Amino acid sequence: VLFRSGGIVIAPNEHGTHILNNIIQNNVAGLYLSNNSATDPAVIQYNVFQNNNNNGDNGGRGIYTDAGVSGGNLTNVTIDSNFFFNNYGGTDTTGLEAAIGLESQTANAQSDIRITNNTMEGNGKGLLAYNVTDLTFSGNTVTTSKDQWSAAVRFEGNASNVTIEDNNVYDNPGPAVRIDEKDAAQPSSDFVINNNDFYGNSNAYA
């Protein structure tokens, strides 16, 4: 079993975990996320994820997953009403990591993910996602992210059926949202971006 350094580690292929009302701070990563059931959701709600920047693999994320962490199928996840503050990474990271990193290298490995009503302040990015489908990003506030060369909300390829609505994304040094194929070399599709307030962001990127 691969040892992972995090505040909370959900083992691969688990389901139905509820994580409520915790302060998760000063770890390598805050939470390693796994859920493989379409009927029994993972619920991460009313938590504080802050200063998860200790040195180690996959550090700097408040919530992190990839195909190894999830077991190959991450689905049916609610991440609601959490506060993410000052997560960006230590040694052996970019120092510009995301509050929430959905980073599976495998196509069709991440689906039905609801990220709602969270506040993300001072992280490397608010959200980084690729190889994901059926994702809702709604009602969130993302501000003072550190990565001017990326975006506050970043999709790096093969993302589809994504809804971005009713968010406040402001005072970030890069764009509010950026969609490209930097990590997964397949185009994204079917994005709906409605009723957001994007202001005070830069459009500078490489």
Side-chain angles (χ1 to χ4, degrees), residues 65-89:
T65 191
D66 59 28
V69 171
S70 70
N73 178 32
L74 178 73
T75 192
N76 194 15
V77 176
T78 295
I79 302 171
D80 177 73
S81 300
N82 302 282
F83 179 48
F84 297 85
F85 177 71
N86 205 44
N87 305 282
Y88 52 82

Side-chain angles (χ1 to χ4, degrees), residues 79-85 99-100 115-123 125-127 137-145 152-153 164-172 176 196-199 201:
I79 302 171
D80 177 73
S81 300
N82 302 282
F83 179 48
F84 297 85
F85 177 71
I100 300 173
I115 301 171
T116 55
N117 307 312
N118 302 282
T119 298
M120 303 170 176
E121 179 181 344
N123 304 285
K125 292 174 277 291
L127 171 67
F137 189 83
S138 176
N140 302 288
T141 296
V142 187
T143 187
T144 58
S145 300
V153 181
I164 300 171
E165 63 184 6
D166 301 320
N167 301 287
N168 292 312
V169 184
Y170 67 94
D171 289 348
N172 297 285
N196 300 282
D197 194 357
F198 298 156
Y199 63 95
N201 305 290

Side-chain angles (χ1 to χ4, degrees), residues 15-205:
H15 59 83
T17 305
H18 289 201
I19 298 171
L20 310 175
N21 297 307
N22 301 282
I23 298 173
I24 303 169
Q25 64 182 345
N26 302 325
N27 305 286
V28 175
L31 166 66
Y32 283 91
L33 176 62
S34 169
N35 200 75
N36 70 351
S37 171
T39 58
D40 193 6
V43 179
I44 298 96
Q45 195 171 41
Y46 309 134
N47 303 285
V48 174
F49 295 87
Q50 66 181 11
N51 301 323
N52 291 292
N53 301 312
N54 291 352
N55 296 336
D57 291 343
N58 305 313
R61 287 82 161 182
I63 297 174
Y64 176 78
T65 191
D66 59 28
V69 171
S70 70
N73 178 32
L74 178 73
T75 192
N76 194 15
V77 176
T78 295
I79 302 171
D80 177 73
S81 300
N82 302 282
F83 179 48
F84 297 85
F85 177 71
N86 205 44
N87 305 282
Y88 52 82
T91 302
D92 299 324
T93 73
T94 67
L96 299 169
E97 306 299 345
I100 300 173
L102 306 176
E103 301 185 44
S104 175
Q105 296 289 332
T106 305
N108 305 314
Q110 304 174 125
S111 63
D112 190 17
I113 299 168
R114 303 164 294 277
I115 301 171
T116 55
N117 307 312
N118 302 282
T119 298
M120 303 170 176
E121 179 181 344
N123 304 285
K125 292 174 277 291
L127 171 67
L128 172 62
Y130 41 87
N131 289 320
V132 64
T133 188
D134 297 321
L135 183 147
T136 297
F137 189 83
S138 176
N140 302 288
T141 296
V142 187
T143 187
T144 58
S145 300
K146 299 179 182 299
D147 194 348
Q148 75 177 99
W149 307 116
S150 181
V153 181
R154 177 68 182 274
F155 296 86
E156 291 189 350
N158 198 29
S160 63
N161 297 323
V162 175
T163 299
I164 300 171
E165 63 184 6
D166 301 320
N167 301 287
N168 292 312
V169 184
Y170 67 94
D171 289 348
N172 297 285
V177 176
R178 185 178 178 191
I179 305 162
D180 61 17
E181 291 125 40
K182 179 181 178 182
D183 204 281
Q186 298 181 38
S188 296
S189 63
D190 298 316
F191 273 64
V192 175
I193 303 176
N194 287 337
N195 302 317
N196 300 282
D197 194 357
F198 298 156
Y199 63 95
N201 305 290
S202 172
N203 63 357
Y205 56 85

